Amino acid sequence: MEQQAQQAQQIDHLASAPDPGGSSPFAAFGMPGLGGPPPVAPPEPRPILELDGEEREDELDALSDWVDDFLLPVYGAEVTTAAPWCLQWQEHDDVVAWLHALWLAYQQHKDPEAGLSGLFVWHRDFLTHAMAAIRAPGGPLSACMTSPERPAHRILPGPPPSARTEKATTDAEPSGPGESYELTA
């Protein structure tokens, strides 16, 4: 009889509504409780090329510190025609975008939550590919320094706008002085 009474008490406790002021039964697993506020998500990182003004400058300064103090001394290797580099890499938007993405991935994979293999994954999936693309013989730095004795910097021209973009631009321009377009419905 006593055992039945304890079981009935347990069933009543389990069937009752959770205590709104009590701690979450899922707290030990890092999960929010029922009806509790959801966890606050960290701000999502934005690609550096989408940033403007001071925000972009601050991010570029932090990226430059990481590249100069960590990436190049450890993974920079020798500058050759097969692996060019540019001392003014910050002026190459495509290189900045690659290095920023590599840096964000590094921050994510060195976090303890990434586990013991986090940095291996960063090396395998991010570092090798990014450095190969940035420093390829025909890559974005190919017109820059290929020998430390001959520092060089040159931005290669990009492709022209597509035919569709070019046509839209010429169609939108007035054909003569003083002419303007009126929108009609």
Side-chain angles (χ1 to χ4, degrees), residues 9-185:
Q9 207 174 21
Q10 282 181 328
I11 291 173
D12 287 344
H13 175 73
L14 291 172
S16 66
D19 179 17
S23 65
S24 165
F26 307 109
F29 303 106
M31 298 172 61
L34 301 173
V40 177
E44 291 189 25
R46 291 177 44 210
I48 195 167
L49 298 182
E50 291 180 5
L51 303 177
D52 292 320
E54 191 173 324
E55 187 179 19
R56 181 175 176 155
E57 285 302 315
D58 291 346
E59 192 75 359
L60 188 56
D61 286 344
L63 174 63
S64 296
D65 289 344
W66 180 75
V67 168
D68 293 339
D69 298 341
F70 174 73
L71 186 69
L72 290 180
V74 177
Y75 303 103
E78 185 178 3
V79 174
T80 66
T81 54
W85 186 248
C86 184
L87 298 174
Q88 298 172 31
W89 61 266
Q90 297 94 338
E91 295 178 20
H92 297 265
D93 281 344
D94 47 354
V95 173
V96 169
W98 271 103
L99 291 174
H100 188 250
L102 183 62
W103 180 46
L104 293 177
Y106 174 76
Q107 292 177 64
Q108 177 184 1
H109 285 83
K110 76 172 188 159
D111 188 280
E113 289 184 15
L116 296 175
S117 63
L119 285 174
F120 176 80
V121 171
W122 178 76
H123 281 87
R124 182 195 67 200
D125 294 349
F126 300 93
L127 174 70
T128 305
H129 181 69
M131 293 302 276
I134 293 167
R135 298 190 68 189
L141 301 179
S142 60
C144 294
M145 182 171 62
T146 57
S147 169
E149 287 82 38
R150 294 186 315 275
H153 167 69
R154 192 174 103 205
I155 304 285
L156 297 172
S162 68
R164 181 180 176 94
T165 304
E166 192 67 31
K167 183 178 183 307
T169 303
T170 57
D171 288 349
E173 294 175 1
S175 57
E179 289 186 30
S180 63
Y181 292 101
E182 289 184 23
L183 296 176
T184 56

